[in-house]
Amino acid sequence: MLNVTVRSVVNTSRARAIQATRSYAKKASPVTLKNHKYTAHATATGQGRNGEVKSVDEDFSLRLATPKALGGKGDGQNPEQLFAMGYASCYLGALQMMAGKMGKKDAVKNAVIHTKVHLGEAEELGGFGLAVDIKVEGVEDEELIKAGHDACPYSRALTHGAIVNVSKA
């Protein structure tokens, strides 16, 4: 598992690891975009976790259901699954891109990205928060794994923050 923000404190206590992550995140500034190369459009309707999501620009929709672990029926998808799938595919693409730039394309030919997105109570903030575990299978080159993480837009958003604009429609 690669967790760049906590890597140097792997053998320390959980509290020290959390503090190291927080202090790293505070140093970063949000990612700002020079331009928009692609924009995905989606809508959510119904009852949130028990509603429906649709991609506006494609004919793609999913029925959502609260996971059994959160007291729901678990008979549909949930936002954490969608985030985990998006993150895994984005990271794989970034890893392959960086392998090409570094002249190491063969090093990622068998790469498989495994992501876990955890939903839980956020310490100090209240409410819920996310944590992510990423495992890179089939790649032994640590420098390349880190380069993929550094280039992945999902990793950048979670590590550095992203600009989020909320307004009335």
Side-chain angles (χ1 to χ4, degrees), residues 61-166:
S61 65
L62 292 171
R63 186 176 57 79
L64 299 178
T66 301
K68 289 180 181 179
L70 296 176
K73 292 182 180 178
D75 58 350
Q77 283 65 50
N78 63 68
E80 293 73 35
Q81 289 173 320
L82 302 176
F83 191 83
M85 289 187 279
Y87 202 155
S89 64
C90 187
Y91 190 102
L92 180 59
L95 182 68
Q96 292 166 336
M97 176 187 74
M98 294 309 296
K101 288 183 176 186
M102 297 167 74
K104 299 178 177 183
K105 272 189 168 180
D106 285 345
V108 298
K109 67 182 176 186
N110 296 317
V112 177
I113 306 302
H114 303 272
T115 55
K116 290 182 181 180
V117 174
H118 309 282
L119 176 71
E121 293 180 46
E123 291 186 33
E124 298 181 18
L125 291 175
F128 288 100
L130 296 176
V132 178
D133 294 327
I134 300 171
K135 291 189 179 186
V136 179
E137 179 184 336
V139 179
E140 299 302 320
D141 187 329
E142 289 284 335
E143 179 186 21
L144 186 53
I145 292 170
K146 183 181 180 324
H149 176 67
D150 291 344
C152 175
Y154 278 63
S155 294
R156 288 179 173 190
L158 292 179
T159 302
H160 301 287
I163 303 298
V164 178
N165 300 306
V166 179

Side-chain angles (χ1 to χ4, degrees), residues 17-41:
I18 290 169
Q19 184 57 43
T21 302
R22 284 189 192 124
S23 63
Y24 178 82
K26 289 177 186 173
K27 295 176 189 173
S29 59
V31 174
T32 57
L33 303 179
K34 291 180 187 177
N35 56 41
H36 297 177
K37 301 243 181 218
Y38 171 75
T39 302
H41 300 267

